[in-house]
Amino acid sequence: MSSDFSQHVVHTLGTGAIGIGIGAVVLLLCALVLPGAERKATLRTPLVLFGLHILTLLVRLPLPEGKIERGLEVLGLCFLLFSLARALFVLVVDGIVRARLSKPLPRIIRDIVQGLVYLGALAIVLREVGVEPGSLLTTSALLTAVIGLSLQETLGNLFAGLAIQAQRPFEVGDWIGLDADVKLIGRVIEINWRATTVLTLEQVELIIPNGVLAKTTIRNFTKPTNIARRTVTVHAPYDASPRVVEEALLQSIQEIPGILSQPPPAAQTRGFNDNGIEYVVNYFIEDFALRDRIDSTVRHRIWHAFKRAGISIPYGMRTVHMHAVTAESRAEEAKQDTGRRKAALKAVDFLAPLPEPSLERLAGLSRTCHFMPGEAVIRQGETGSELYIVQKGELAVIVGRGEGGSVAEVARLGPGQFFGEMSLMTGEKRAATVKATTDCELVELNKGAFQEVLAADPRLVEQITRSLVDRQIALEENLSARASRSTRAEAEAKSSALLAKIRQFFQL
């Protein structure tokens, strides 16, 4: 009896040593191949199973042959095979295959392969206990039917997930939407064998079964490229020219961060309805995650552009706004606006020679404009004939270094300062770009208004010219002292040349 027991122990140790040796080699290879950051988490499961196998082996050694010992043998074999199945899967898929591919295998493919490996290990265990895996299916048709019916939806999701991986209508990282519901738009963060997980802008996870995705319309906003078109709708009154409205819309979205210049934006007249004429402005973005922020900026810009162009956004026709407006109140409001513009005109040094009636007339012919941060009031190299006086806000003066060169900010303008005087007086091209850095309120004085005042008193041209020349010389010399004779000679030469330009520009 003792001899049989000794042979049993030797046999158990021999077979156990073979299993332990194979398992140790596979686990060691996994530890060498896997990156250090993933090694601990990935090898935890096979190490635990391998430890359980060794534990069952140690428990079997003092036991005689019998049912308990046989049961522990099968259990230890199960632990060993499942440990090897997990370790080999990690070694091949995470160690070898991933090193050869540009990106890791999809989650659903990994799960299916891992499941097949586990099924193979289970089949070996069943054969060890004398059960043929094939006979389970052939001898129990009723069980097979019950399992098939109960797993019908799960299998549908599984095959739909495989179809998604094969056709690749979307991938992890893509922005997709279901049907036309904006609440069902999000970024794909995971695709597994049962469902696809989508994260919306509200940081809400949508877990959508793959079978549902296979039956619905999917909009992929990042395929075939990351470029996506956005549309903003706005109404304008019927008395506003569609051409003017479309030009204002296109001007409003220039140089907005996030909007692409190619393909170019477009403005269109969509239709006529109770609220007025409906317009749309279409533009393209590359970062779909910023779509709401960019759309909001576009609406802000449209509001300011419409204000400058004198275009009102109409109220719904079913809403009646009633307030008493008298001729006296309108006259008083207009008088206050004119007074504010007149005060701004007085701050312009070269307009000092103008008499009070001429300033009053210019104030009545000028207008107030509003700009939001980032909008360009004038651009370097463009033609123009307007002078702008800052009433509120701050603007940056930017000068380019030639075609394709760098640009630099050279000055900041605040309340009481002005720009564009040479374009107003001579029609010269803009020497710099001026952009609003805060919400700005400007007084705009154009050539037509100034020409009316000069035509009424042509003698004012010479006085204004002398003031402009003196101002230019002071700026160019940085207020440095020069010989009086040289300054007078230079001033006279510049004054004559500038006077000729102004007379020609205003046809005086």
Side-chain angles (χ1 to χ4, degrees), residues 75-365:
L75 183 61
L77 177 64
C78 183
F79 287 144
L80 177 63
L81 290 177
F82 276 88
S83 175
L84 290 175
R86 177 60 181 170
L88 288 172
F89 172 81
V90 170
L91 177 64
V92 175
V93 175
D94 292 338
I96 300 175
V97 175
R98 188 169 65 176
R100 297 174 178 269
L101 298 178
S102 59
K103 54 185 178 181
L105 285 175
R107 172 73 180 276
I108 186 173
I109 301 297
R110 290 173 53 87
D111 290 346
I112 291 176
V113 172
Q114 180 71 89
L116 292 176
V117 173
Y118 281 146
L119 285 176
L122 181 61
I124 295 176
V125 173
L126 291 175
R127 285 180 180 274
E128 180 66 19
V129 297
V131 177
E132 280 292 333
S135 64
L136 293 177
L137 299 177
T138 56
T139 60
S140 182
L142 179 59
L143 179 62
T144 304
V146 171
I147 294 176
L149 290 174
S150 61
L151 296 179
Q152 183 176 4
E153 186 174 351
T154 301
L155 292 174
N157 289 328
L158 171 62
F159 286 109
L162 291 174
I164 289 173
Q165 292 297 331
Q167 297 177 356
R168 291 191 179 275
F170 56 83
E171 300 179 60
V172 173
D174 287 356
W175 284 87
I176 66 171
L178 305 183
D179 299 324
D181 191 348
V182 295
K183 294 181 180 180
L184 298 180
I185 295 178
R187 182 171 57 86
V188 179
I189 60 175
E190 183 185 30
I191 306 172
N192 57 41
W193 62 271
R194 190 190 71 83
T196 296
T197 304
V198 175
L199 184 66
T200 68
L201 282 181
E202 292 80 12
Q203 299 301 303
V204 175
E205 279 193 359
L206 302 178
I207 302 175
I208 309 168
N210 292 329
V212 174
L213 290 174
K215 299 175 184 177
T216 190
T217 301
I218 303 172
R219 293 182 296 162
N220 193 331
F221 298 99
T222 49
K223 288 285 191 311
T225 67
N226 289 334
I227 297 176
R229 193 181 84 162
R230 303 293 297 168
T231 299
V232 169
T233 303
V234 66
H235 287 84
Y238 281 98
D239 56 2
S241 168
R243 181 186 60 79
V244 173
V245 174
E246 290 182 3
E247 288 178 357
L249 288 173
L250 290 177
Q251 184 182 11
S252 67
I253 62 175
Q254 291 183 6
E255 301 176 2
I256 293 181
I259 293 183
L260 303 178
S261 57
Q262 292 295 331
Q268 298 174 339
T269 305
R270 174 171 284 182
F272 304 90
N273 53 44
D274 292 343
N275 292 338
I277 302 178
E278 183 179 352
Y279 298 89
V280 294
V281 57
N282 300 316
Y283 49 90
F284 294 84
I285 63 174
E286 211 166 20
D287 191 345
F288 194 76
L290 299 178
R291 63 192 185 278
D292 290 345
R293 186 179 304 172
I294 295 174
D295 291 350
S296 177
T297 303
V298 169
R299 294 185 180 95
H300 290 180
R301 289 283 188 93
I302 289 174
W303 186 90
H304 283 83
F306 276 21
K307 275 284 187 181
R308 291 194 299 273
I311 302 169
S312 62
I313 299 178
Y315 296 98
M317 294 300 181
R318 290 179 295 274
T319 303
V320 179
H321 296 265
M322 300 181 64
H323 58 279
V325 178
T326 63
E328 291 80 5
S329 63
R330 287 181 178 177
E332 182 62 27
E333 186 177 350
K335 184 178 179 181
Q336 291 177 0
D337 291 341
T338 303
R340 286 192 291 267
R341 291 195 295 270
K342 181 180 176 182
L345 292 171
K346 284 184 176 180
V348 181
D349 51 8
F350 72 88
L351 296 180
L354 294 179
E356 195 72 17
S358 297
L359 280 174
E360 190 78 31
R361 183 60 180 157
L362 277 182
L365 295 174

Side-chain angles (χ1 to χ4, degrees), residues 356-500:
E356 195 72 17
S358 297
L359 280 174
E360 190 78 31
R361 183 60 180 157
L362 277 182
L365 295 174
S366 60
R367 68 184 187 122
T368 303
C369 301
H370 296 83
F371 290 84
M372 70 177 289
E375 284 194 279
V377 183
I378 61 174
R379 289 184 174 84
Q380 183 176 350
E382 291 185 353
T383 58
S385 59
E386 297 86 18
L387 166 74
Y388 293 93
I389 309 166
V390 184
Q391 283 191 299
K392 296 179 182 178
E394 186 181 59
L395 302 100
V397 181
I398 302 170
V399 177
R401 307 294 185 184
E403 195 170 321
S406 61
V407 295
E409 181 181 318
V410 297
R412 287 286 177 112
L413 302 176
Q417 295 179 293
F418 58 92
F419 56 93
E421 65 275 10
M422 295 308 296
S423 295
L424 169 68
M425 300 304 298
T426 64
E428 291 182 5
K429 290 185 177 181
R430 305 293 190 184
T433 297
V434 180
K435 283 187 175 182
T437 58
T438 64
D439 286 333
C440 293
E441 183 178 310
L442 309 178
V443 173
E444 180 190 275
L445 180 62
N446 58 34
K447 174 189 174 184
F450 208 68
Q451 186 170 22
E452 182 177 327
V453 172
L454 294 181
D457 189 356
R459 292 174 300 177
L460 295 172
V461 176
E462 297 180 6
Q463 300 177 24
I464 293 174
T465 302
R466 282 196 294 271
S467 297
L468 278 173
V469 171
D470 291 341
R471 182 174 183 271
Q472 277 191 316
I473 291 177
L475 290 174
E476 290 172 2
E477 297 300 327
N478 197 20
L479 301 178
S480 62
R482 296 182 61 192
S484 59
R485 182 181 302 173
S486 174
T487 302
R488 284 196 299 272
E490 189 174 349
E492 289 177 2
K494 288 193 173 186
S495 179
S496 299
L498 184 58
L499 180 60

